[in-house]
């Protein structure tokens, strides 16, 4: 959607977003048994850049050309709308889906993973307490236990729902999962 792409480009110009690697990526990337990785909605590439440093070949996809400028040139940067993009099947040892949710992509994520491939998926969860940020569009919000159910046909290595800070330092609930394709 062009409107959302423009909004993201503006956000990336205006805001200083964190550059640290996502803790689950740091902790679990080494579970991958090969070096082909995909970073879905990579943003400015904090996790793509980390994986490059760990010796991965990275396909980094996002529709914000502004964000992609910050992704290391060693990555294969893909400027595309995920709504219209199909991942290559049986291609990746490791897939990241961090702070992004498009439920329609989940079957494709599973097909894009090689056997024994690792998915690291972390994004916002509904919050039933006061004072937590939730997106106005609830399509971008996981329900409790939903992420676990979405990958229940994989071997679950880690699953947690916890309180965290958003990229813009607001209190949020997140669900986080690491799983291996059977
Ligand atoms: C919250 S940011 C997360 C960025 C990164 N994963 C991180 O955690 O630093 C969400 C990203 O999704 C991208 N995005 C949203 N919808 C998209 C779409 N339909 N196609 C491609 N990228 C999209 C935005 O441009 C933005 O960079």
């Amino acid at each position: 959607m062009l409107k959302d792409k423009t909004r993201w480009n503006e956000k990336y110009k205006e805001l200083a977003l964190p550059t640290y690697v996502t803790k689950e990526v740091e902790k679990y990337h080494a579970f991958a048994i090969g070096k082909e990785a995909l970073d879905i909605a990579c943003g400015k590439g904090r996790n793509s850049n980390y994986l490059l440093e760990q010796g991965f070949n990275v396909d980094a996809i996002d529709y914000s050309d502004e964000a992609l400028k910050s992704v290391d040139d060693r990555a294969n940067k893909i400027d595309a709308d995920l709504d219209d993009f199909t991942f290559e099947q049986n291609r990746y040892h490791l897939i990241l889906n961090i702070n992004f949710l498009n439920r329609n992509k989940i079957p494709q994520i599973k097909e894009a993973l090689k056997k024994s491939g690792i998915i690291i998926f972390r994004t916002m969860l509904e919050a039933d307490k006061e004072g937590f940020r939730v997106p106005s569009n609830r399509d971008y919000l996981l329900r409790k236990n939903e992420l676990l159910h979405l990958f229940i046909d994989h071997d679950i290595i880690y699953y947690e729902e916890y309180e965290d800070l958003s990229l813009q330092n607001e209190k949020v609930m997140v669900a986080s999962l690491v799983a291996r394709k059977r």
Side-chain angles (χ1 to χ4, degrees):
M1 269 183 282
L2 200 56
K3 197 164 71 103
D4 291 343
K5 174 183 162 121
T6 307
R7 191 174 58 86
W8 272 110
N9 269 338
E10 280 163 10
K11 213 181 234 197
Y12 281 119
K13 276 184 201 150
E14 285 161 14
L15 298 174
L17 296 171
T19 53
Y20 54 80
V21 63
T22 302
K23 66 178 183 187
E24 291 87 345
V25 175
E26 188 173 23
K27 186 163 179 194
Y28 291 103
H29 72 277
F31 281 57
I33 55 171
K35 290 292 186 190
E36 297 304 317
L38 169 67
D39 187 1
I40 295 171
C42 62
K44 286 184 147 182
R46 59 195 180 126
N47 293 313
S48 290
N49 295 347
Y50 176 81
L51 290 182
L52 287 163
E53 282 162 24
Q54 310 307 312
F56 283 83
N57 303 313
V58 181
D59 289 343
I61 180 166
D62 203 290
Y63 67 4
S64 166
D65 41 306
E66 186 60 34
L68 285 173
K69 283 181 197 162
S70 301
V71 179
D72 191 308
D73 287 332
R74 288 172 297 167
N76 173 32
K77 302 186 202 183
I78 304 169
D79 182 349
D81 187 336
L82 282 154
D83 290 344
D84 307 322
F85 190 85
T86 306
F87 306 135
E88 199 181 315
Q89 292 186 10
N90 190 29
R91 163 101 174 80
Y92 299 104
H93 301 103
L94 178 63
I95 297 182
L96 308 184
N97 185 116
I98 308 296
N99 298 323
F100 176 76
L101 182 62
N102 178 342
R103 292 175 176 82
N104 297 329
K105 301 309 282 182
I106 289 177
Q108 261 190 51
I109 290 175
K110 294 178 178 180
E111 286 175 357
L113 279 172
K114 285 181 178 292
K115 182 171 163 44
S116 303
I118 299 291
I119 172 76
I120 304 179
F121 201 124
R122 173 204 185 279
T123 198
M124 277 170 75
L125 174 71
E126 62 185 4
D128 53 11
K129 292 179 265 182
E130 294 276 305
F132 283 77
R133 180 177 179 265
V134 286
S136 48
N137 185 344
R138 296 182 68 86
D139 288 348
Y140 300 144
L141 202 57
L142 286 165
R143 309 295 183 258
K144 285 179 193 294
N145 283 331
E146 181 184 358
L147 185 58
L148 185 60
H149 281 269
L150 288 169
F151 283 94
I152 206 69
D153 53 346
H154 287 38
D155 290 327
I156 308 297
I157 296 169
Y158 160 80
Y159 180 74
E160 195 176 357
E161 296 178 354
Y162 62 92
E163 192 177 315
D164 202 5
L165 291 175
S166 73
L167 296 179
Q168 289 164 64
N169 257 344
E170 307 133 318
K171 259 193 345 180
V172 288
M173 289 299 292
V174 297
S176 182
L177 168 135
V178 180
R180 181 182 286 112
K181 183 173 172 173
R182 291 185 181 141

